[in-house]
Amino acid sequence: MNNFHIETITPVHVGNGKFIQKDTEYILDGDKILVISPDKFMQVIGPDKIEDWLSKIENGQPIKPLIAGINPPPEGADISSRIIQNNFKGAASLPTLKEQISSGMGNPYIPGSSLKGSIRSAILASLIRKKNKAVPLDWTVNRYGKYSAEPLEDSFFGSDPNHDIFRFLRVGDSYFTENSTESLRMGNINLKGDDSAKLDFSKQQLTEAIGTGQRTTVSVRIDFTGMGSNTYYKQIEEVPYYFQDLKSLTSLINKNTKYLIKQELDFWEEYEDDDVTEYINVLVEIYEMIPKLKPGSCILRVGHGMGWTFLSGNWMKDPALFNETDFLEVVEKIRPYNNRYEQYPYPKTRRTSNEFDLLGFVKLTPVEEAE
């Protein structure tokens, strides 16, 4: 049962792990990016040009000339598996596109595992703050000696899959309509040595994302029957308050989102750079949406580009919850080339597009409320 509407407040990218090549795997066509379908393309150019086509791919040469002169000229749908709205006029200067995960039918989607992972992270951070006790350093190190939330998750949610309370939260995939993605030029707001913060494209990437304002339905439900049975057999001790019903769960998610946005706004308050102002304006707009939500609705962040603050819940930066010396030790291990950046706070960058799209914010609304 699809019991929630899910709407992208900002673009959302969940990658499939692939970077496809310009001119061979996709071509630019005005304000569109055409992801080439090998089967369709072969039918259009005909068997006589297949060898030439393979040669161009092997040598990294543009394949677009192969369709020049064909009459009538093929349309985008004639040669592509899907069409992406191109929002970056300089897309021709970037060599690859980071793909959004899509179904076999070409529908972009947010996997249920990604959405559930974001919910789990939000609840974990909320519970750590609610407990309001210092977290020992060794609670942040897993059995392999790596810094991880796993020990904390075990303490709050259950020590193994049979005792993990989150196995009773069932989240489905969110399938959006075909051709509902757009391309974004992603860069970073980067803190500089002169105490300024600028939008930096030294590590830019053309990225496909589900566009802003896209809507679909998703199933999010709590398995009360299974949870009751496991409570009876003592596999879990009791049903936590945030799993009493979906309204309790979404309420805690909203508190976490609001808290993290407020932390971001406080962090950037001292910076008066234009790029930071644009970034702040987007956050303020989302922050002001939360109190206006109806009970049972929530806003959270999911997918690529969340950044460490939203991914971790930012509780490590609260001295009452985590020792400052321990935090610096963690940063030394997880930040590459930390010795170069010790004078900067962690994290020192925020992922955003050239149009200040902050990836990953979605709104969940109960179906009956949205009708």
Side-chain angles (χ1 to χ4, degrees):
M1 176 182 177
N2 292 316
N3 54 350
F4 278 89
H5 287 286
I6 180 169
E7 178 181 358
T8 54
I9 298 175
T10 64
V12 175
H13 173 82
V14 180
N16 63 3
K18 291 179 61 178
F19 293 79
I20 56 175
Q21 302 294 315
K22 179 173 67 72
D23 295 331
T24 55
E25 294 180 282
Y26 71 90
I27 60 177
L28 300 172
D29 183 27
D31 62 351
K32 301 289 190 296
I33 291 175
L34 309 180
V35 180
I36 298 299
S37 164
D39 290 341
K40 290 182 179 180
F41 195 81
M42 183 172 60
Q43 290 179 7
V44 168
I45 64 173
D48 294 342
K49 292 184 178 180
I50 290 179
E51 187 173 339
D52 191 13
W53 176 34
L54 295 176
S55 176
K56 287 183 180 300
I57 292 175
E58 185 177 348
N59 293 295
Q61 297 174 337
I63 63 172
K64 197 172 184 178
L66 293 174
I67 58 175
I70 293 178
N71 194 20
E75 297 183 0
D78 296 332
I79 60 172
S80 64
S81 58
R82 67 182 191 283
I83 300 173
I84 303 168
Q85 178 66 37
N86 181 24
N87 289 346
F88 176 45
K89 293 181 179 179
S93 65
L94 299 178
T96 62
L97 172 75
K98 189 175 185 180
E99 273 195 312
Q100 162 71 30
I101 190 170
S102 297
S103 70
M105 302 298 291
N107 297 88
Y109 70 98
I110 299 173
S113 58
S114 297
L115 189 57
K116 182 175 179 177
S118 292
I119 294 172
R120 185 182 179 97
S121 296
I123 300 303
L124 177 63
S126 298
L127 295 178
I128 293 171
R129 291 192 293 269
K130 182 179 175 64
K131 191 172 184 179
N132 198 30
K133 290 186 178 180
V135 175
L137 179 62
D138 58 4
W139 280 28
T140 67
V141 180
N142 66 18
R143 61 184 180 277
Y144 303 109
K146 302 290 186 181
Y147 287 107
S148 167
E150 185 179 327
L152 278 167
E153 290 182 359
D154 289 350
S155 67
F156 281 102
F157 301 143
S159 58
D160 59 63
N162 287 330
H163 296 84
D164 191 330
I165 190 68
F166 263 83
R167 70 191 179 103
F168 301 109
L169 180 67
R170 310 294 170 81
V171 183
D173 297 334
S174 309
Y175 290 95
F176 293 81
T177 58
E178 187 179 1
N179 300 331
S180 59
T181 60
E182 59 186 39
S183 66
L184 304 170
R185 182 198 187 196
M186 298 302 299
N188 294 305
I189 293 181
N190 197 1
L191 294 177
K192 303 293 185 180
D194 59 358
D195 291 329
S196 66
K198 301 295 183 184
L199 192 50
D200 178 6
F201 289 104
S202 60
K203 296 180 180 179
Q204 63 182 335
Q205 175 64 55
L206 192 65
T207 300
E208 179 187 12
I210 301 167
T212 299
Q214 298 296 323
R215 299 177 79 234
T216 189
T217 51
V218 61
S219 173
V220 181
R221 68 182 185 88
I222 300 170
D223 179 7
F224 293 106
T225 301
M227 197 158 47
S229 174
N230 278 260
T231 303
Y232 178 81
Y233 288 107
K234 305 299 183 182
Q235 285 184 302
I236 57 174
E237 294 181 4
E238 60 181 351
V239 177
Y241 71 94
Y242 52 86
F243 270 178
Q244 296 293 329
D245 51 48
L246 286 171
K247 287 186 177 180
S248 299
L249 182 67
T250 54
S251 175
L252 199 56
I253 291 170
N254 282 329
K255 288 179 182 178
N256 181 69
T257 303
K258 193 172 181 180
Y259 174 86
L260 293 178
I261 293 178
K262 182 64 166 58
Q263 292 289 300
E264 276 291 275
L265 294 175
D266 290 346
F267 177 84
W268 292 104
E269 186 178 24
E270 64 182 273
Y271 298 93
E272 298 179 353
D273 304 274
D274 290 343
D275 291 342
V276 172
T277 299
E278 294 283 357
Y279 177 81
I280 286 174
N281 288 342
V282 176
L283 286 174
V284 168
E285 185 176 347
I286 298 171
Y287 186 83
E288 292 177 348
M289 290 181 185
I290 298 174
K292 301 175 184 177
L293 295 173
K294 294 182 178 180
S297 302
C298 67
I299 290 175
L300 73 161
R301 203 169 186 185
V302 61
H304 171 77
M306 291 172 59
W308 184 85
T309 298
F310 283 85
L311 188 63
S312 71
N314 211 38
W315 58 268
M316 277 190 177
K317 297 183 79 171
D318 184 341
L321 300 177
F322 200 62
N323 181 278
E324 290 182 76
T325 302
D326 290 344
F327 177 67
L328 292 176
E329 181 176 332
V330 172
V331 171
E332 184 178 0
K333 297 294 184 181
I334 65 177
R335 176 156 63 180
Y337 309 109
N338 183 60
N339 59 316
R340 300 181 187 176
Y341 307 113
E342 288 178 330
Q343 72 272 31
Y344 296 105
Y346 181 83
K348 70 183 287 288
T349 62
R350 303 295 190 275
R351 200 73 168 151
T352 181
S353 78
N354 59 304
E355 297 293 335
F356 297 95
D357 295 296
L358 311 186
L359 296 184
F361 284 99
V362 299
K363 179 172 69 172
L364 297 177
T365 307
V367 169
E368 61 272 16
E369 296 288 348
E371 296 296 346

